[in-house]
Amino acid sequence: MKGNAYKAILLAVVVFVCVFVPVRSLGSERVEGEFPVRTQEYDTVLTLWNIDTFEGGKGSRTSFLSSVGKRFRKGTVVLARSMTAFGAEESLRNGELPDMVSFGGGCPFLLGVCQPLDLEAPAYGGTVGDRTMAIPWCAGGYFLFTKTERKEPVGKLYVSLGENNFPLVAKSVGEIRAEQTVTVRPTDGCRTFLSSDGNAVFLGTQRDVFRLEKNGAAFLAEPLEEFSDLFQYIAVCAEDSFRRALCEEFVKFLLSEEIQKGVVSLGMFPAEGNPYREGALSLYDRSKTAYTVSPFLSEENAAKYRDPTFFGQDGEITDAERLKSGLKRL
């Protein structure tokens, strides 16, 4: 009797493992979105790592890419997986290589695995020499937020400074003079701005538009369009020619008008143009962006753009032309 009971329990465990535990080929980390995917229904499974290095507007870029991957060509599915920059670099060192990678700035280690792209699409900072190594598929932008009409010079300027983006460059290229500049973490920016006196100014991103709107705050937004490094790129890493061709086809699909219309669900801008017709985001003119930096920028060069002392003393306007000479002109 005891033997039969033991066999019944063992059988139940085996069934549970076979039915509910994802197969090893899908990877050790769960893919955002619907899971598991029945990979046996597809001839080809492409892998895509998504690395978020700057704040979006709302929603998940990984989930968005996952949904696009399921709508891709018949017989092929793209599995999107969230990664940190650190995790992606470690995985590459351990011999893992995705077919594609979606990423923002702060990922210089990716340059060594990206394959040149033969696609006709604006690359912005994704060019290296005369080769296109990555193409943006969505973007953000910088804004100045005030509670009343902005006066010159600005008294106190709060700047939302992330680990991998360069709002101080946007400030300097835009020639914003401030008597005092205070950097704050992106998650603290809106709260600090709202609790400050009425003359304070806040330099944030499209994400802060949604934060302020959710708070019900009254604010004015002024786009800073001449410089932006808030681009989410996609690159192909597949070495096999067949898989590489499929990946380029997916990039075209991601950049298609049909898919790009859906980027507004992320609270971001599509690769080209501005579909917003009302609110603060509608004020942003993407065509005015003239400067950016490479997403493959070395840490040494990136560090200076995050250092307030690089831009001179408070109350001064940095030599914008000197600064622009070190940026990537579009």
Side-chain angles (χ1 to χ4, degrees):
M1 188 69 179
K2 289 182 179 180
N4 291 335
Y6 175 81
K7 290 179 181 179
I9 293 172
L10 181 60
L11 178 61
V13 171
V14 171
V15 170
F16 178 88
V17 170
C18 292
V19 173
F20 294 104
V21 176
V23 294
R24 177 65 180 169
S25 62
L26 291 179
S28 59
E29 294 188 25
R30 180 174 176 137
V31 176
E32 291 191 26
E34 185 181 345
F35 189 87
V37 172
R38 294 182 177 274
T39 54
Q40 64 269 27
E41 297 178 0
Y42 299 93
D43 298 323
T44 306
V45 178
L46 300 176
T47 55
L48 168 59
W49 292 355
N50 181 62
I51 307 170
D52 291 338
T53 60
F54 66 92
E55 291 190 315
K58 55 184 179 180
S60 164
R61 275 164 274 184
T62 300
S63 291
F64 182 87
L65 291 168
S66 180
S67 67
V68 175
K70 294 168 188 171
R71 297 167 59 188
F72 188 41
R73 72 197 304 270
K74 185 177 180 181
T76 302
V77 66
V78 178
L79 295 183
R81 171 184 174 187
S82 289
M83 298 282 280
T84 63
F86 176 80
E89 188 170 13
E90 285 295 298
S91 293
L92 289 172
R93 284 177 181 157
N94 292 331
E96 292 185 55
L97 183 69
D99 293 300
M100 292 173 284
V101 59
S102 163
F103 62 102
C107 296
F109 60 90
L110 289 176
L111 183 58
V113 297
C114 293
Q115 301 288 336
L117 291 168
D118 185 20
L119 297 173
E120 293 184 6
Y124 289 83
T127 58
V128 177
D130 60 354
R131 298 185 302 172
T132 296
M133 307 304 293
I135 294 174
W137 65 270
C138 68
Y142 292 109
F143 290 83
L144 276 182
F145 299 101
T146 59
K147 299 174 184 177
T148 60
E149 290 291 338
R150 180 164 69 92
K151 298 177 181 179
E152 290 284 357
V154 171
K156 181 175 286 187
L157 174 65
Y158 294 104
V159 178
S160 173
L161 180 60
E163 186 179 349
N164 295 292
N165 64 311
F166 309 122
L168 293 171
V169 177
K171 166 187 176 286
S172 296
V173 170
E175 300 188 7
I176 307 302
R177 184 196 299 271
E179 295 176 359
Q180 183 181 8
T181 300
V182 180
T183 58
V184 293
R185 294 185 302 178
T187 52
D188 295 335
C190 281
R191 177 181 54 79
T192 303
F193 168 62
L194 291 174
S195 62
S196 65
D197 64 57
N199 294 323
V201 179
F202 173 45
L203 198 168
T205 71
Q206 75 292 330
R207 178 63 171 268
D208 297 299
V209 170
F210 292 97
R211 287 190 175 113
L212 291 169
E213 288 178 345
K214 184 177 181 180
N215 187 277
F219 66 93
L220 300 174
E222 177 186 340
L224 292 179
E225 301 139 320
E226 192 172 3
F227 168 83
S228 180
D229 58 315
L230 302 177
F231 295 104
Q232 186 76 11
Y233 292 88
I234 187 164
V236 173
C237 306
E239 298 173 336
D240 175 79
S241 59
F242 171 75
R243 298 180 73 83
R244 189 162 64 242
L246 280 179
C247 289
E248 289 203 358
E249 188 178 336
F250 175 78
V251 174
K252 290 179 183 178
F253 182 60
L254 181 61
L255 297 176
S256 67
E257 182 179 358
E258 174 191 2
I259 300 302
Q260 287 290 294
K261 286 179 180 178
V263 169
V264 295
S265 68
L266 295 173
M268 298 181 73
F269 300 108
E272 292 295 306
N274 183 349
Y276 297 95
R277 295 295 173 260
E278 58 183 23
L281 294 187
S282 69
L283 304 174
Y284 199 93
D285 186 350
R286 296 284 314 289
S287 68
K288 291 182 178 179
T289 303
Y291 298 93
T292 189
V293 294
S294 170
F296 307 116
L297 192 68
S298 70
E299 177 53 33
E300 179 182 0
N301 287 325
K304 69 182 180 183
Y305 291 139
R306 292 193 294 268
D307 181 3
T309 63
F310 176 76
F311 301 92
Q313 300 298 315
D314 280 336
E316 297 179 353
I317 295 180
T318 302
D319 182 353
E321 293 307 313
R322 176 187 62 82
L323 180 60
K324 290 175 183 177
S325 67
L327 300 176
K328 201 172 184 69
R329 186 176 181 88
L330 305 181

